[in-house]
Amino acid sequence: MTVTETTETIVMTGATRGIGLEAAKALLQLEPRTHLVVLARAASAARVMPDLLAVSPHVSTVDVDLASTKSTNAAAQQVEDRLDAGCLPALSRVVCNAGVHLDSALHTTVDGYERTFAVNVLATHLLLRRLHPHLRSPARIVVTVSDAHFGDLRHTGGTFPRTAWNSPDILFRPGAYRRSGTVRAGRRAYATSKLGGIFLVHEWARRLPEGIDIVAYNPSLVIGTGLASEAGGASDFLMRNVVPALTATPLVDTPGVAGLKLADAISGVTKAPSGSYVHRKRTMSSSKDSYDPAREAELWAWLENVADQDPASPPL
């Protein structure tokens, strides 16, 4: 089967490990006429391409560093060029699954932004800004978030502190939190960035045309993804030594199980209206703090200002 025999394209970040890789393999197996474009660092993509190609020949990659606005825009441009040239079939879904969870809130990108927010929020917006005009209805966008944004004992078992939302000018700069050099501040930055991801989904849902849906997807607690290892401290210890004991309960999923649930959200098997919060396989409410139109509009305006500073970025 050639590219011309495929019928639709999925663009996906975060498909080189954990639940993203499992979801990508599931989608390729269940939808053999789909072409998957993996946006990832070249080395990471090269490691997983044999596994993906063993499932389907319809996989290609685009090199990207999501911590760089220039690289993110260039990767999106490559996808646009392939779509416009007819090298890819119509774009039907965009999956923003990549994310980072770091050991402090002091990591700085080449653009001077705090790395957690740059990857988890800004890169998502930049990709959607360029790719959403190419989506053909019916289409779906999935943004992976986390129940860490609740910041309470019930949802995080005490492993994450409460979020600390502030103006985007502050949150996107290193050192936004008290004792920003600590592991706890890194966890707070992660949880707060996931709150920002939900804000972003709500604002995009207001602006996307009918027939193009966007949902926030929460996989909840998943072992073996490697995400906590970047954060260090108690999170890594708990994920390696305590949480695995809970896999026999409904509280924890393995990457394989969670990947199938993510694939269901991407494919539309899990029904969810645009702007909704999908917890594993059902729609539910996110935190009370995550419904704030004023914060959503402020975040949107800040992100648009950043995007407009790139002369190669088209107007929204």
Side-chain angles (χ1 to χ4, degrees):
M1 189 184 295
T2 65
V3 168
T4 57
E5 293 173 304
T6 53
T7 58
E8 60 183 318
T9 295
I10 299 176
V11 173
M12 186 172 183
T13 68
T16 60
R17 68 176 185 179
I19 67 170
L21 177 58
E22 297 300 329
K25 291 190 289 187
L27 288 168
L28 290 170
Q29 184 173 23
L30 295 171
E31 304 179 14
R33 297 182 67 83
T34 292
H35 186 97
L36 175 66
V37 180
V38 175
L39 270 60
R41 289 180 179 271
S44 297
R47 284 196 296 269
V48 301
M49 277 298 283
D51 288 341
L52 295 174
L53 291 172
V55 181
S56 169
H58 306 298
V59 187
S60 59
T61 64
V62 173
D63 182 31
V64 67
D65 176 6
L66 294 173
S68 162
T69 58
K70 181 179 179 180
S71 178
T72 301
N73 278 317
Q77 180 68 62
Q78 285 190 50
V79 176
E80 287 187 282
D81 290 345
R82 293 183 191 181
L83 289 165
D84 290 341
C87 299
L88 292 172
L91 183 62
S92 65
R93 283 159 286 177
V94 176
V95 184
C96 297
N97 178 63
V100 295
H101 177 195
L102 304 175
D103 59 2
S104 77
L106 294 177
H107 294 270
T108 307
T109 71
V110 66
D111 302 300
Y113 301 124
E114 193 278 317
R115 190 179 184 90
T116 310
F117 261 77
V119 174
N120 295 0
V121 183
L122 176 56
T124 296
H125 184 69
L126 294 178
L127 288 174
L128 296 185
R129 194 176 194 266
R130 298 194 71 125
L131 296 181
H132 85 274
H134 298 272
L135 285 163
R136 296 294 175 262
S137 176
R140 173 169 278 195
I141 298 166
V142 176
V143 177
T144 301
V145 293
S146 170
D147 46 12
H149 85 279
F150 282 92
D152 59 15
L153 184 65
R154 173 189 171 191
H155 291 90
T156 71
T159 58
F160 284 91
R162 292 189 63 82
T163 59
W165 192 262
N166 210 320
S167 74
D169 275 335
I170 294 174
L171 292 171
F172 277 86
R173 300 294 175 183
Y177 310 93
R178 181 175 175 270
R179 300 175 62 206
S180 286
T182 64
V183 169
R184 185 171 179 82
R187 291 200 293 270
R188 195 183 302 276
Y190 176 79
T192 306
S193 76
K194 292 304 182 179
L195 176 61
I198 298 172
F199 286 157
L200 192 58
V201 166
H202 291 166
E203 195 65 26
W204 269 104
R206 296 185 183 101
R207 297 166 184 268
L208 289 167
E210 186 176 354
I212 300 178
D213 297 337
I214 182 170
V215 299
Y217 180 76
N218 168 41
S220 197
L221 197 54
V222 184
I223 64 166
T225 64
L227 185 62
S229 63
E230 300 171 339
S235 293
D236 187 29
F237 176 83
L238 289 171
M239 291 301 291
R240 287 187 291 107
N241 298 286
V242 178
V243 173
L246 301 176
T247 54
T249 75
L251 299 175
V252 177
D253 281 336
T254 62
V257 173
L260 288 174
K261 293 175 181 177
L262 174 57
D264 285 345
I266 297 166
S267 66
V269 170
T270 299
K271 306 299 181 183
S274 191
S276 61
Y277 179 81
V278 178
H279 172 78
R280 291 179 169 173
K281 290 182 67 68
R282 64 187 180 91
T283 301
M284 60 177 289
S285 296
S286 49
S287 70
K288 182 179 179 181
D289 289 343
S290 68
Y291 299 93
D292 192 323
R295 287 179 173 179
E296 291 158 7
E298 182 186 28
L299 176 61
W300 179 276
W302 189 93
L303 294 168
E304 280 295 285
N305 182 59
V306 171
D308 287 338
Q309 293 174 18
D310 180 0
S313 183
L316 187 62

